[in-house]
Amino acid sequence: MSNKRYTSLQVTADTYVPPVAIDYPEDNPYEGLYKPVYDRPYPEIDADYPYADFSFRNRLKIAWGYNVVLRILGIVLRVKYGLRWRIDGEQKWYRSSCHVRRWLRQFDLSAGTITLGNHCYRHDCASIFTALHASSHTRIPMFAPNFRTKDQYYLQIIGGVPIPAPEEGLSAMKAFNAAFDEFHRRGYWFHIFPEAKRWDWYKPLRPFQKGAFTMAYKYNKPLIPCVITYRPRTGFYRLFGPKDEPLTQVTIGAPIFPDTTAPRAAETERLRLLAHETMCRLAGITRNSWPAKPDRE
């Protein structure tokens, strides 16, 4: 494995970098490494797709996802990956979200918020949601083809909303945007992986796409940076997972509030740079291998 980006990566003394035998791309930070099988039927994701489905059936399905499936998955992740979490600036790690919920109450999140995370393994979303005790009033913009994989039911019950492909035309994108306008009006939380593609157990933070920061400015929603980091798989945990997969933990940063009085382009860029810088610090990275902004957008 070459992984030249790791040669320029610098981390704090207590930060663990897992020695994973994966050859990561060096030039394209958005190259997909996860190769799913698209073999499940699913409705066309076009202008007529119900991006904002508030039917009783759908609300019940997502409530089941968050209050039953996600809670059970959280227990599994505690056992298999030693999942734990803490708030930025604190030393103590938790496996209950009560402390996090109390901490969040000091901030004005009445209009909802946008949580950010590094896209680093299959259950990264569930890990962050477990740490935050996320509610069913959470929606996640997602890569549309993944709704045709074996994970389609899981993506639906955690509030996934497929992003229409460019070939579906402007009307489909307008319908998607209108759905998020309505979610915002109802005070929903959003979750976004600004790195876009999943790279398992990758340590550096890749460049951030601007979508999350455009949304933060448009809806005046604060951003909550969350970073999944790793530690060696030792002791009891060797019984429940592959030795080459590290244990996981989530560090939660304080909300970053947008300044909607500033020009949109400048403020969107400020949010992107600040979020990337903050998440690098939360990850224990002192010198990152990628810039915050991609070369092309």
Side-chain angles (χ1 to χ4, degrees), residues 47-231:
D48 298 321
Y49 181 85
Y51 299 99
D53 185 353
F54 297 107
S55 66
F56 175 77
R57 179 180 179 181
N58 194 59
R59 286 187 289 115
L60 182 63
K61 180 170 66 175
I62 295 178
W64 158 263
Y66 274 81
N67 295 302
V68 179
V69 177
L70 190 60
R71 304 305 169 226
I72 294 173
L73 182 54
I75 295 172
V76 173
L77 294 177
R78 289 174 177 90
V79 174
K80 184 175 181 180
Y81 291 104
L83 178 63
R84 62 185 189 178
W85 49 85
R86 70 179 177 188
I87 295 166
D88 181 26
E90 297 185 1
Q91 296 300 314
K92 185 175 180 180
W93 294 94
Y94 296 90
R95 287 187 171 84
S96 167
S97 59
C98 295
H99 179 69
V100 175
R101 282 184 287 168
R102 288 195 297 268
W103 174 74
L104 285 173
R105 291 190 190 119
Q106 68 182 292
F107 304 107
D108 181 9
L109 305 179
S110 56
T113 186
I114 300 174
T115 54
L116 305 174
N118 51 325
H119 210 356
C120 61
Y121 84 122
R122 184 181 184 190
H123 299 299
D124 44 21
C125 188
S127 299
I128 292 170
F129 285 6
T130 299
L132 293 169
H133 196 78
S135 80
S136 58
H137 283 190
T138 303
R139 293 296 181 268
I140 316 160
M142 290 184 169
F143 183 55
N146 286 347
F147 284 80
R148 294 187 171 91
T149 70
K150 63 181 181 180
D151 289 332
Q152 68 171 219
Y153 179 71
Y154 173 68
L155 301 184
Q156 293 176 68
I157 65 174
I158 62 168
V161 181
I163 305 170
E167 53 266 26
E168 295 297 339
L170 186 59
S171 58
M173 201 64 212
K174 283 183 177 179
F176 174 85
N177 290 334
F180 274 85
D181 290 345
E182 181 59 21
F183 292 138
H184 167 65
R185 191 186 70 81
R186 298 187 182 215
Y188 276 46
W189 286 34
F190 303 155
H191 179 75
I192 297 176
F193 291 109
E195 294 175 310
K197 298 295 184 179
R198 188 182 105 196
W199 288 10
D200 287 356
W201 316 122
Y202 195 61
K203 182 59 186 179
L205 289 183
R206 287 166 282 147
F208 285 178
Q209 294 188 337
K210 66 180 179 181
F213 314 103
T214 301
M215 274 190 170
Y217 183 89
K218 177 182 178 181
Y219 297 128
N220 195 18
K221 284 184 182 292
L223 300 156
I224 298 181
C226 303
V227 174
I228 296 174
T229 55
Y230 319 109
R231 64 189 192 279

